[in-house]
Every structure is written in structure tokens, then in C-alpha cells.
Amino acid sequence: MFGFGVLKGMSVTLWNFILSYVYPKKGITTVQYPEQKKEVEERFRNFPFLVYEGAPDNMRCVACDICSKECPPKCIYIIPEKDAQGRVQKKPATFDIDYAICMNCGICEEVCPFDAIFMDHEYELAEYERLSSLLYHKEDLLKPVEHFAKIRPTDYGRIEATRAAKGVKGRAQPVAGAPPKPAETQQSPPATS
Amino acid sequence: MNVEEIKNDLLKHVPGLELTVEGESFIVPKEKLLEAARFLKENEKYRMDYLSCVTGVDYLAQAARLGQPGQAAVGGQSELASGYLESVNHLYSMEKKHGPIVLKVRVPRSDPRMPSLVPLYRGAEYQEREAYDLLGIIYEGHPDLRRILMWDEFEGHPLRKDYVEEDQDIR
Amino acid sequence: MSDTAVHSQEPQLLEVSIGPQHPSTHGVFRMNVVLDGETIVKLKPVMGYLHRNHEQLAENMSYLASMPYTDRLDYICSMTNNFAYAMAVEKLAGIDVPERAQYIRVLMAELTRLINHTLLVGFLLNDLGAFFTPTLYAFREREKILDFFEATAGSRMMCNYFRFGGVKADLPAGGMEQVKEIVKNYSRFLDEFERLLTSNEILRSRCQNVGILSKELAVNASITGPILRASGVNYDIRKVDKYSIYDRFEFKVPLGKVGDVYDRYYVRILEMRESIKILQQLLKQMPEKGEILSAKGAAAAKSPRMWKPPAGDAYGRIESPKGELGFYLVSDGSPKPYRYHVRPPSFINITILEDMCLGQKVADAIVILGSVDIVLGEVDR
Amino acid sequence: METSESIFVVIKKAILGFFHGFLPDWTVVIISILISVTAIVIFGPVTMMFLTWLERKVVGRIQNRYGPNRAGIFGLLQPIADGVKMLTKEDIVPRAADKVTHFLAPVIVVIPALLVFSVLPFGRGMAAVNLNVGLLFFLAVSTMSTIAIFMGSWGSRNKFSLLGGMRAVAQMVSYEIPMVMSVVPVILVTGSLSMVSIVEAQLGGKWFVLTPWGFFGAIVFFLCGVAEVNRTPFDLPEGESEIIAGFHTEYSGMKFALFYMAEFMSAFAIAGLTATLFFGGWDGPLLPSWLWFLVKSYAMIFIMIWFRGTLPRFRIDQLMGFAWKLLLPFALLNIFVAALWQMLPAPKNLIVSGIAEAVILVIVFFASRKDSPKKRTYVFAD
Amino acid sequence: MDVLHNLARLGFFAATLVTLAAAVMVVTLRNIFHCALALILVLLGVAATYISLKAEFFAVIQILLYVGAIMTLVIFAIMLTSRIGDKTVLQNNRQGLMSFSLLALFNAFFIGSVIKTSWHLNPAAMTANVDAGVLGAAFMNEYVFPFEIISVVLIVALVGAIILGRSDQ
């Protein structure tokens, strides 16, 4: 068993060894993480966030609860706001997403009819404590539309075009007539400690 | 390879076999399963030498009685009406490269025993063990029928429709 | 065991359990091995450590909701898992798929086949003892394909990209150039890989005539995928079922003669070259524009938890890189599947692991397991 | 140039001269021994630390990545970091272990690795001990590590380490004989066993590797050396992917570091010995002699690391077959070629021994063709 | 330089002492593997005495052959006989006293005769510096016949061992 095949194999590794010094752009493929960061593709999806226009109070979400029903691992928990007479408003009082359970599959973004929830690009979310600190409440989830426009320009363009076409203008005043069917909130709240 | 042609061949070659056709699949009584499978495997025209997939399915009483739309209602055999366990076998031929022949065997939930296909197809060994482990279908003639996915001391069969998970951690 | 002469007492058998926490069992998989010296006398695989009861989960969720879970079955080729599940549901509900979506689907499936085979060769060399070099070359090439997946599907490994009746989104702006770039220098990478490995005498002597699988046993034990073709059986579901638009591409199916670890390794290298041929033809034939979700598909995707397929059962299967991956669905007309069963290739391919390992050395058992290419997400479901 | 040539010898003479003033002469002899001993005891571990860093850097570069570059500039403090980690790691002794052997094994495995350095000629006049049986001493002491490795594997009472121990002993015994045989031509040509005289026989560029028998003898010796030191492609005793970590599965903390140190020091010793026997030790045109020795040894070390980055591992029976059926017969035949080379006068001997060497290569090639793996053909069905 | 000379003698006595102690340990230790290690120590002690008598070649051959080869084969034997490693054999038994007295008697005669006989020393041999070259020449010239006979005996033993060792499959 003579070593010509072995020598041919060793020539490949020697070539890679030399390449890594002579022509690092092709020879070295690793990214030195903390110093250099690999920029993320536009459609990259990490955990969801809620969108508001202008002030955080003027958020697009109307607490229709479709996303929490569609979410495969059931990690979204919504309680709609009630005004003085107890009538349900079209705004969520609490909107929790448990980032520990969410598997960033992006289904909530697809099914949301009001373009209120989108997947973020932020992936440095390490926490010290698993249960409570990964349960994001409404305040932590809210981000301006400009952030969405910055991270995903093409999607933002497409969605704005459809919204303009449908003539959806900003925050609809609460319709005086019959309030929408109170969204039943029967799904079990996620494991809150 | 249409369903009628297969049905006539089966009835001709396997004596005493009463076969019902449901859509694309054949309901075979459990006594005749091995014979039918052996015929399909050795017969020159079919040469079904590849058992692709063995699936266990659990039909509860109300599902069985009302019968799946598109599947014949099961009122006929009385004891099956109280719900049955079904083992679906997809047979293909690697030699002649032709499509699936689906054999279904139904056994009542009270007495879930049926003949195993392992003597004919080695491939069924793990899939039947999984059907036994998750659905409780006992395959007679299986060389080594024990749990494959759950740990051995586990009681109950998780994929059964009436399986209620006991709450270990009631605080 | 032939009863050796009376005076020599029974050989001192060593009972060793390899795994579930072992450097080269590709996940939590255990083999209880009984050794006589270094040769294997008995080998019992033990699995189920990663069992998440995926099938019961799917029975309590809508059809679309279990699509992201199919990514986690065989976590190396998530696109082909989605492909198989989407085809099964389309067969069940009779949904058609538009032209451009079919091309995108075949594009994703063949890229996943490249990833899986490259990674397998890398990990097989790891089991043989090469200190991570082939694996890291494999990872280097896989990164380029994963970047393309991230650009189109949104996530590198858990793509969740297929929908019933098409795909979630069209290719991104620079997508086609990225694919052309990948396909162009992938064959150059394969030449480098072959120069490093194929004629390597140590690899040849370690892999030839090890773990031989005969044709009859392979067919009888329902083995599918490259292992079956390495034993010489010509059965590739892309050619048999001609599902999706595979009949429009002209490609060959490589077959081995002996059916040992070396044949399985080399058949996979040849299959990668065939996949590159398919991708080249695909890039030429692909229509520029076209809708990517059929009308019925759009209806299903509008509100997944309300969507009700007609009652009945269906079995959709594809040629995943590891073998025949099939989904058997029974629907009773409600939005939740009545029965959801996965036919995983890895789970069935290890039925005859013991037959291949008897009489071999301990080191061979690890190599044979490596050549069978199992992923525990798919074995345990 | 002259001072840099024998800088270390001059330093030692200066120290001795200083003590000579006021101490009786017998203490001066002891002090000179102590200086040599401390030199080796410092040189050994420092080389080991540098080699661990070098190995991770080179294998990293082979795999298109940087290798350690965080601890210190270019990652040079990485070995120190590893050393501290090893010191602070808990030293677990398995309950069923045979305490005495488990404890003694790492101690005894380091002794041969250090003893071997005493014989290596690091430079002109810089061999610690000029034993006239230096080469044989080297081979004898390196067999002792076999026993230490087996003590380690037997003592830890663990199935995997037992397998590793069996493999280690079988491999060491079967690679020692071709190693000794491949050294015999060098002794035959130089006529003496002392390492210093071997290097002197090769002075002036007349290295043995340039002779036909020397070139192939060097390959055989180097392969046996790599096997003796359990490095890839012969690293079966600690085959990670098969038997977890072979004989040092049950060792952690400083004991594991000792095994690791012994492996690297004997790897450097083998590289140094190959350089001395076949590549002319410290003989070289410009640079000082000790620098030549280091350059050549590190070239050999680079090849060992290069092996590690490329080749898969042998199986136990192929390993044995390779030693007994290929290396040993070739080394024996090589002795005849060396004898031919030695007997005939200058111009003719090169031609005759060259032809003889070619004949041997052809014989061994055809003899081993039967069990060498074949090329395979594949069918393309549609 | 007599101090160095004394040191050398001290080294020699220390080596012999270690050898004797290890020899005693070989027969009295419980675990058979520890006995094998003690035997290795004995052989190393013998090599040390060779060195102190300035016969380096013999010392190195001693280490190479005895410790390197023969002891490895002894360990092979221990390893391959099944379950011999962990049985601890009881070392002492009742005949201890009787055998000790016999031994003492024998030693008395033996040491007595050793002291009484006058060993006539051949002065030439005392100072001759025997190194590998001289030995090699001796083997090939005067003693070539016994050298060949021994190699034949070894070959026969080797072939016999292989035939016996080959298990009967």
C-alpha cells in the first residue's frame, strides 16, 4: 500500500495551509466575532417585535388574537384593554411573548392581518435568568416603524404599498358601534414564574 | 395497476379471502394477511418486495361508527364498531418500480393482536415495534417485540386517542 | 459460536455500551456491544433519548403549524422535510403547485442534498480519525449554501419555507447570482475533496470490505437512499415516482457493486455531482417570473387554523438525502390531522446495523454507523 | 560568528570557572552535571508548551481558520492558560481504580521522555552526555514508556482504557523492531553507536538522507517513530472516535497534563533523532549549530502535525500488517543496500546501491499489492 | 577525586539495595500486576549495577531486552489470562518458618564458601574497556560457532511458539 494517495491528500492540506497565509481572503473563512460581525441577510428572522407609528401608544396591534392562536408553540399571550365601561378596546393591555419558547418560525408575521408584528434581526439577547427575563412584555416588544424600515427595506416597501392601496390610514378611531366580539382569552398563559 | 385488477388477482390466488376495497386500499382480515402479502411478494406480475411504511392508527368508537367520509362505515362487524386499531402497510416493488398497494388490517381495541410481517419483510421490525410502543398493537410472530422509543418501564401508549397523560408534577 | 475444544474455557466477553454520550454517534444513540477482544459478537442499538412525540404534537395543531416542526426532524436537511410534508398535504387536499414554485422547490431540495452528502463525508472521516479537517472543509462549503437559505427562507437551518401549494416567498434580489456562484465552484470543491480523500490508501483500507450489505438483505430490510444504491439496487424515488418536475431533468443514478462503507462514501460523492448537473439544467430552464403560491395554496395560507382539507388518507414520499422520507396523513375533515405519521429513512436504515457489524472490529462499528448516516432527530421523532 | 556558534558552551564554562575559584573540584563536576540537567528539565516542558501552541496553530491554518489568537499576541500565552487550567482542574480517581498503578503511571511515563533528551546532540559539543552507546540508550529508554502506558490503562479499571492499553502495547512492540532495524544501516556506516560520532560522520553536507539507503531508511524510521509516539495516523491507543480517549480516559487535571507532556516531548525527541541520524544533526552552512538542529527538528515536527491534520487512523490489524509485512522486510533489505554502499568505492557505490534500492522497492511493492486496497468502478443507471 | 569515587560506591550500594528490596517485593506483593512492576524494578536495578561497573553497553542491552521486550511479554501474559489481574493471591502460608530456616542454613554454606575461595583475578580483564565494537568482533571471530548455534535455537523456539500459540481455527 504505497502512499501516493496519501501524498496527494497531504498536498491539498499543504495548499490550504499556504493559502491561509498568502491569500487570507479566500484561505481564512472564520469571522472574529466580537470585533467583526457577519451582517445578517435582510430576510433573517429572529424574535418578533410589535410595530408602532409615532408614539408607542399608537401601536398597530388591535389585540385580535389571531397570532396567539396560530403560534405553533403557543408563546404569545394577549389581554385586550378595557375602557371605563368594561367594553373591550382594540388595543392590547398586556402582550407577552415568551422568547424562551418562541422558535422564530415567522408564522405570526404571516397571519397578522394588521401588519403589526414582524421578525427582528437582533440576535444578541443572552440573559442570566431563563424564566422571567426571557418573557418580554409589551413595553420591551414595541419598536418604531422606522426600525422595521431600516432592517427590512424591501418588505417595508411592499407592505407600505399594499397598505396604501387598501387605504389603511394609521390608527383607526375606535368604532362607535358594536365592539368587536371580545376575543376569548382561553388559551393558558405561558409558564410565568 | 388498477385496484380492480389487484382485487381479482388476490381473490383468485388466496383461497377463502374476503376483501373489501376502500378507496385505494384493501381491508384484509388478520387471518389472511400473511398469505396475501406472500402472494403479492412472490407473484411474478407484482413482485412487491419492498414494504415502505407500516403505520398504526387508532380509530375511536365515534370515529369508527360514523366512518370516515370516503371510507365505508364500519357498522358491519359488530365488535369493531366499539373502535379499532388499524395497521396500514404500504407495499412497493423495487424490481418493477410500480406504485403502492396499501393493505389495511383492523383489530378491535379490546384484543389488539395481529400477525407480524417480519417473517416476510425484515424492514417491518422497527416500525412494528414503534406501532406497539406508541399504539399498543401486538404483532404476533415478531422476533423481539418490546418498546423502542419510550423507556421500558413506561405504562400506556401515548398515541392512543384516549391516552390521558398523568400529571406527575401536581404542585 | 462454534463450541471450541473442551479445554479452552469460554472467551472473556467484554460488555461495552458505546453512547449515548459518545464522540461519534451523531447524537444521542447508544449501541450495547459485546466484544470478544476487539471483534463484535453482539450489537443492540438503543434509541429514544430524543423522542419528542412529534406525531402527537402534530395531531393537536393545524396543518401549517406543524410545518416548522418538520424542520426539526432531520435538522441537517430541513428543506427536504418541508418538501415531503407539503407534498403529502397537497396530495391529501389536491392542491396544485405553480411552475416557478416547482423549480424553486427542486432547487432547494438539490442544494440540501449537496449539504447533507458533504457533511456526511466530513463526519465519516471524523469517525475514521481525520482530525476535523474534512469536516471543516465541508462546513466551509455549506456556509455558502446556508447564506442563500438565510437570504430566501429567513433562517439558515430551520427554514420553514415551503407552504401547501408553493413556497412562502420568491427568491431575493441577488438570489439567482448567489446560486450560480455556488453551483459554479461546487464541482471545483468536490475535486479538491476527492483529491484529499478518494485515493487515500488509509481511507481505502479502512473502508473497503467493511460492513458489506447484500442486495437481497437491503431490499428485504426496506433500506432506502444512497446505502441501497451502494449495494447495487437501482431505486431512486426521483426516477420512480417522477414527483414534482424531476422528469424534466436528465441525470444518472450512481450504483455501487460491493455495498461496503467505501461504496457508500463514493456513491454519495457521485450523487453530489449528479445534483450539480440537475442544478445547472435547472438554472437554464427556470422561468424568470411567475407566481409562487397557487390559488388553493393562498386560500390555505390565509387562515391556517380554519383551513379544512377533505377527509381521507394520503401518503406522500420524496427522495430525501438519507432515503425515502414519507408522511402518512389521515384527515377527518377537521383543521387538525386525525393521524400524522412520519416514515423516517434513518430509523429504518439502522434495522440491519447489527448484521453489518457482526464480526467486525470496534473501530469498524463506529465507521459503519457513520456510513449509514443517521440523524437522531429523525430516528426518535 | 564564532561566539554565537558555541554560546551555550561558553556560558557553561564561565559558570564553572566562577565556581572553580573557591570550591573543591569534585563539587565543580557535580555542578556541571546539574547545569546540564537543569537545561534539559527546562528545555523539555518549554518545548512541549510551544509544541501544543504550534500544533493548534498549524492544524488551524490547514483548516482555514486562525487557531488560538486570543491569549497574548498570536495566542502565545495559550499554553500557559492551558497549564493553569490543567492545574486547577479536579483530579478524579475512579473508585474501582488500582490506586498505586493509577498514581504511578503518569509519573513513570515522563521519565523516559526526559531521559531521552540527555543523549540528543543539540549542537557542536552540546550533547549532555556523550554516551558511546547513545543510540541504543535512546531506543532502550523509549520502550519503557510502553510499560507506563499499560500501567495507566490497567490501573484505571475502565473497559475503554483497557482496550487502549492492549492496543498501545501491541503497537509499541510491533513498531520497535522495524525502528531498530532501520537504524542499523546508520550504525553500520558510521561504525559507532555514539550520536556525536554519527553527526560527525555526516559533517560537510554529506547527510545520510542523500544516499539511496538513507532516504528510504529515514522514511521508515520516521514512520516507526510516529507510531512509537502514538501520533496520527497511528494514534490508536487514544483513538478519540472509537474508544473515547484510550489509556488516558480516566485521567484529568495534572495527571492528564503529564501524559500529554510525555507524548509531546517524545515526539520532539523522535523528530530530533531523525534529524540527527539522517539529516546531519547540527551540521549546516551559515547558522550556528544548535539553530540548525532546531530548524531540522521543527521541520520534522511540522510533518508530524501535517500528518495529524490530514490522515485518518489505521485499524489495529492494518497497523500490525503495515509494521510486520511492509516496514520490517523493507528495513532488513535496506541494511544490505547500506552494506553495498559501504563496501564499494566512491563513484560506483552510489550507482550500485541506487539500483539495489530500486529493486527492493519493486519487490516490496509487488509483495504488498495483494492486500492493498483496489480501485473501484461504478455503474450509472438512468 | 576520591569523594566522587565514594559517591559512585554509594550509588552502587544504593542500586543493589533497591534491587534486593524489589526482589523481596516481587514475591510478597498480593496483586500479580504489582509483582510484575517490582520485577521491572529489579531488572532496572541490575542495569544500574552494570552502569556503575562501567559496562554501559550491557546496561543498555539489559534495559532494551529485559525491560523493553521480556517484561512487555510478561504483561501480555498477565493481560490475556482471564481475570488473573484482580484476584489477590494470599502470599503467606504456614510453612513460612520452616522454609525460612532452611533458607538461612543454605545461605550460611553459600556465603561461607564464597568468602573462602580465592578468586584469582585476571588483571588484564579488569581494565579492559569492553564496548560494542569489541563484542561484535568477538562474536564474529572466535565465538562465531556458538553464536550461530544460539540463533538456530532461537529460531526453533520462535517457530514452536507460533505453532503452539496459533489457536485452532
Side-chain angles (χ1 to χ4, degrees), chain D residues 25-26 29-30 98 100-101 131-133 136-137 139-140 143-144 147 150-151 154 166 169-170 173 193, chain E residues 1 3-4 7 31 33-34 37 40 44 56-57 60-61 63-64 67-68 72 75-76 78-79 85 132:
Chain D
D25 53 10
W26 61 272
V29 168
I30 290 177
D98 170 352
V100 173
T101 358
L131 265 178
N132 54 20
V133 278
L136 217 53
F137 175 82
L139 298 175
T143 59
M144 288 231 298
I147 295 162
F150 188 75
M151 273 166 70
W154 182 272
M166 278 199 252
V169 173
V173 164
L193 279 166
Chain E
M1 287 302 278
V3 173
L4 275 188
L7 272 182
N31 182 330
F33 187 62
H34 293 177
L37 297 181
I40 291 172
L44 285 175
E56 288 99 359
F57 181 67
V60 167
I61 287 292
I63 295 179
L64 184 64
V67 173
T72 317
I75 288 176
F76 252 84
I78 292 177
M79 197 164 56

Side-chain angles (χ1 to χ4, degrees), chain C residues 238-307:
Chain C
R238 292 176 292 178
K239 289 279 181 185
V240 169
D241 282 4
K242 290 192 172 38
Y243 60 90
S244 175
I245 46 167
Y246 271 104
D247 48 6
R248 296 189 195 156
F249 303 110
E250 188 267 331
F251 63 98
K252 290 271 181 286
V253 175
L255 300 177
K257 284 203 177 58
V258 177
D260 54 8
V261 171
Y262 189 78
D263 272 2
R264 287 179 213 133
Y265 150 75
Y266 202 69
V267 158
R268 287 192 171 101
I269 297 263
L270 295 176
E271 265 187 24
M272 279 200 264
R273 292 195 188 279
E274 293 307 314
S275 293
I276 292 173
K277 254 190 250 159
I278 294 178
L279 285 170
Q280 277 153 1
Q281 294 167 38
L282 183 134
L283 286 178
K284 281 198 278 303
Q285 300 173 7
M286 193 161 184
E288 285 322 312
K289 251 173 287 325
E291 44 158 66
I292 46 140
L293 200 58
S294 68
K296 278 186 149 187
K302 201 161 63 56
S303 74
R305 72 183 191 295
M306 296 301 181
W307 179 67

